[in-house]
Amino acid sequence: MKFPLESSKIDHYSMKNEQCYRNIGAKNMKKVLLILADGFEEIEALGTADVLRRLGVEVVLAGLGGEFAAGAHAMKIAVDVPLAQVTGDDFDAVILPGGMPGSANLDKDPDVDRLLKQFALENKLIAAICAAPFVLAKRGLLDGKVFTMYPGFDHELGGLRYTSNPAEVSGNTVTGKGPGAVFAFARAVAEKLGLGSECAELYKGMFIE
């Protein structure tokens, strides 16, 4: 049995939230690069991208090859641009979602290496979640940093130790523990982009604690 919904309430809710997102986005001119490699964790990539886009951040999805990136759970996502065509000059941050073999594919890609070096040299925000922090660790980008990640990749860390917290912020680096930490991770990224209060407002409307 279907229950009728009061259209006036639906319209009020839609208009209120649309205006909220418009007001947030009007204040923001940030641009973020989110890199998708085949085998990426869908929740981490799309959840983070969704939150940031709701905040008015321009999120560019870059793939390692082809028009689509295949997630770890057989979801195919259209990318905006091949990573080989991207320079870091126009971006405020780069984000690496986790998942396997996605994180391993990120680690092997020369353009990922090139961009991480550029962002590090320019002290721009670098964020990684789940397994992807090992990509940063192997390049010395987590040395002296407090970070978190998905357990089980200690052999890739060169003796570095991570916390068990959902998200960590240390200098120009944001890390997240795994799929269930996506909203904590996205909030930490938003805060580093100067959108902490806007994210708190957004999360109230999304019923995220």
Side-chain angles (χ1 to χ4, degrees):
M1 179 179 180
K2 294 184 178 179
F3 294 88
L5 298 174
E6 296 182 39
S7 61
S8 60
K9 289 185 178 180
I10 295 174
D11 292 343
H12 174 73
Y13 173 83
S14 299
M15 291 175 64
K16 180 179 178 182
N17 280 274
E18 181 180 351
Q19 185 63 46
C20 171
Y21 300 147
R22 186 183 298 117
N23 290 341
I24 290 172
K27 305 174 186 177
N28 178 39
M29 297 293 289
K30 299 295 185 180
K31 188 174 182 180
V32 168
L33 178 67
L34 195 152
I35 304 176
L36 300 180
D38 283 350
F40 70 92
E41 173 54 64
E42 292 94 334
I43 291 176
E44 295 163 358
L46 300 183
T48 303
D50 181 88
V51 168
L52 293 178
R53 284 185 173 176
R54 288 172 188 252
L55 290 171
V57 177
E58 182 180 353
V59 181
V60 175
L61 303 180
L64 301 191
E67 298 180 3
F68 296 88
H73 304 96
M75 296 182 187
K76 288 190 175 181
I77 304 299
V79 301
D80 299 313
V81 63
L83 190 63
Q85 297 179 12
V86 173
T87 68
D89 298 342
D90 297 330
F91 293 93
D92 299 289
V94 62
I95 300 174
L96 306 183
M100 289 297 285
S103 296
N105 289 332
L106 291 171
D107 184 45
K108 295 183 294 185
D109 189 84
D111 288 307
V112 172
D113 190 64
R114 168 178 60 84
L115 287 164
L116 287 177
K117 288 177 179 177
Q118 178 182 353
F119 275 72
L121 284 172
E122 297 176 1
N123 201 36
K124 291 184 175 181
L125 178 60
I126 298 173
I129 185 172
C130 194
F134 88 72
V135 180
L136 308 186
K138 290 177 67 173
R139 288 156 176 80
L141 301 181
L142 295 180
D143 291 355
K145 301 285 182 70
V146 178
F147 70 99
T148 187
M149 66 178 298
Y150 195 86
F153 295 90
D154 301 63
H155 60 288
E156 300 280 13
L157 302 180
L160 296 178
R161 300 293 181 183
Y162 51 89
T163 75
S164 60
N165 294 326
E168 294 283 8
V169 178
S170 188
N172 68 323
T173 304
V174 173
T175 50
K177 187 174 180 65
V182 65
F183 290 119
F185 176 71
R187 181 198 293 268
V189 172
E191 288 173 348
K192 287 294 290 182
L193 293 173
L195 296 167
S197 60
E198 291 87 349
C199 189
E201 178 184 353
L202 175 68
Y203 277 16
K204 286 180 183 179
M206 295 174 69
F207 303 104
I208 299 170
E209 296 297 330

